[in-house]
């Protein structure tokens, strides 16, 4: 299995209403999903954020879902994700963001 080219760090808390859109746009970044590693951090959510992260993580070749039972805050959650970066580059995406298809491929090229 090839190593990922880019790691996306996605921290979120109580983003169940939006996170599916965010994760769906990440699946459309590369023609080969193995080029992207997803590091999703559920930062103490009380809704279905964590379940949605785990569901979408199954469709990525490289994915980790980290769960904080108690919220740590956005900066701490992002820092947790940094410890799991693989590849030549990384970026942060918030739980209510979306990304134009192929954007990471263009940036990587």
């Amino acid at each position: 299995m090839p190593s990922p080219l880019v790691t996306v760090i996605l921290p979120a808390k109580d983003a169940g209403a939006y996170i599916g859109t965010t994760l769906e746009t990440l699946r459309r970044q590369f023609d080969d999903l193995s080029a992207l590693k997803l590091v999703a951090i559920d930062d103490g959510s009380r809704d279905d954020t964590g379940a949605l992260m785990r569901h979408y993580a199954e469709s990525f070749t490289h994915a980790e879902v980290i769960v904080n039972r108690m919220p740590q805050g956005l900066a701490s959650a992002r820092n947790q994700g940094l410890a799991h970066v693989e590849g030549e580059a990384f970026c942060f995406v918030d739980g209510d963001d979306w990304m134009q298809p192929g954007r990471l491929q263009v940036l990587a090229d």
Side-chain angles (χ1 to χ4, degrees), residues 77-94:
R78 284 180 174 171
N79 287 338
Q80 280 180 289
L82 288 172
H84 300 270
V85 169
E86 293 181 51
E88 298 178 22
F90 73 91
C91 69
F92 298 109
V93 175
D94 291 332

Side-chain angles (χ1 to χ4, degrees), residues 1 6 16-17 38 40 43 46 51 53 59 61 73-74 85 87 91 94 98:
M1 167 173 29
V6 175
L38 171 66
D43 193 31
R46 293 167 288 158
M53 287 177 165
S59 66
T61 306
L74 181 59
V85 169
C91 69
D94 291 332
W98 65 273

Side-chain angles (χ1 to χ4, degrees), residues 14-92:
D14 297 330
Y18 314 105
I19 196 117
T21 299
T22 303
L23 290 160
E24 192 62 43
T25 65
L26 293 179
R27 291 195 327 185
R28 297 181 177 146
Q29 293 305 304
F30 294 94
D31 291 334
D32 178 3
L33 267 180
S34 69
L36 186 146
K37 178 178 180 180
L38 171 66
V39 178
I41 303 101
D42 175 9
D43 193 31
S45 296
R46 293 167 288 158
D47 64 0
D48 60 348
T49 298
L52 288 164
M53 287 177 165
R54 288 186 296 278
H55 171 75
Y56 275 91
E58 293 175 4
S59 66
F60 288 90
T61 306
H62 307 281
E64 295 182 48
V65 177
I66 299 165
V67 177
N68 294 331
R69 291 194 185 276
M70 299 295 296
Q72 304 297 309
L74 181 59
S76 293
R78 284 180 174 171
N79 287 338
Q80 280 180 289
L82 288 172
H84 300 270
V85 169
E86 293 181 51
E88 298 178 22
F90 73 91
C91 69
F92 298 109

